[in-house]
Amino acid sequence: MFRHIVLLAWVAEATEEQKAAVEAGLKELPGVIPELLRYEIGPDAGVSPGNFDFAVVADFASVEDYMVYRDHPTHLGVIADVIRPILANRVAAQYSF
Amino acid sequence: MFRHIVLLAWVAEATEEQKAAVEAGLKELPGVIPELLRYEIGPDAGVSPGNFDFAVVADFASVEDYMVYRDHPTHLGVIADVIRPILANRVAAQYSF
């Protein structure tokens, strides 16, 4: 399995509506990108100070399938329309397991 | 399910032996912390510039079980002995799904 992880931090001015739009937008992706075998996302639970604000874990059969997701126009649309306007910081990694 | 994610970045001087010791040390934890329902870890695949160097995804039945792992002496020993000496940066999040 090839796994892609992204942790996102929002700007202080991000509204609850804007944060909810990220989750709603990303939740559409498994329906349009069949390469997404597992897609578990959500806002940070708030139990640890200093955490980032939102987590994305996406599992694929291969690195090639990950790249389909990475470059998919619907995904890029969510990034441009609802993530980038409130993005303060982004950290990522991919690994096989 | 309650998920804990950590992404780690190593200092430039970190050796391959030191990086391998992190993976080996963490891989012992499921055998001593039964609260770890799933534990998928590994070095970054190297397909995306700017990524962090190592990923940990740990799944628990509850936030309380996560805290058992977080505070477990064997886990804290791995952090102190093999992670902290080569740690440049750490980002985390926890979420329910």
Side-chain angles (χ1 to χ4, degrees):
Chain A
M1 195 79 80
F2 189 84
R3 174 169 283 171
H4 168 61
I5 301 174
V6 183
L7 300 181
L8 304 170
W10 306 136
V11 296
E13 309 77 44
T15 66
E16 292 308 311
E17 186 179 15
Q18 285 177 306
K19 297 175 193 176
V22 171
E23 191 164 1
L26 293 175
K27 278 191 172 163
E28 298 297 318
L29 298 184
V32 295
I33 308 175
E35 286 82 2
L36 271 170
L37 299 183
R38 291 184 64 177
Y39 198 57
E40 287 139 354
I41 66 172
D44 180 65
V47 299
S48 306
N51 272 8
F52 270 34
D53 296 310
F54 196 88
V56 175
V57 176
D59 289 346
F60 305 91
S62 66
V63 61
E64 291 78 14
D65 280 2
Y66 156 64
M67 290 174 177
V68 171
Y69 162 83
R70 182 192 66 185
D71 301 331
H72 193 285
T74 307
H75 181 208
L76 297 177
V78 172
I79 293 170
D81 295 343
V82 295
I83 292 178
R84 201 162 292 148
I86 62 169
L87 188 63
N89 207 345
R90 174 192 184 276
V91 169
Q94 294 94 37
Y95 67 111
S96 297
F97 67 89
Chain B
M1 196 79 82
F2 188 83
R3 173 169 284 170
H4 168 62
I5 302 174
V6 182
L7 300 181
L8 304 170
W10 307 136
V11 295
E13 308 80 43
T15 67
E16 292 308 311
E17 186 180 16
Q18 287 177 305
K19 297 175 194 176
V22 171
E23 190 163 1
L26 293 175
K27 278 191 172 165
E28 298 296 317
L29 298 184
V32 295
I33 308 175
E35 286 82 1
L36 271 171
L37 299 183
R38 292 185 63 177
Y39 198 55
E40 287 140 353
I41 67 173
D44 181 65
V47 300
S48 305
N51 271 9
F52 270 34
D53 297 308
F54 196 88
V56 174
V57 176
D59 290 346
F60 305 89
S62 65
V63 60
E64 291 78 15
D65 281 2
Y66 156 64
M67 289 176 179
V68 170
Y69 162 82
R70 183 191 66 184
D71 301 332
H72 193 285
T74 307
H75 181 209
L76 297 178
V78 173
I79 293 171
D81 294 344
V82 295
I83 292 178
R84 199 162 294 149
I86 62 169
L87 188 62
N89 208 345
R90 175 192 183 276
V91 169
Q94 294 94 36
Y95 67 111
S96 297
F97 67 90

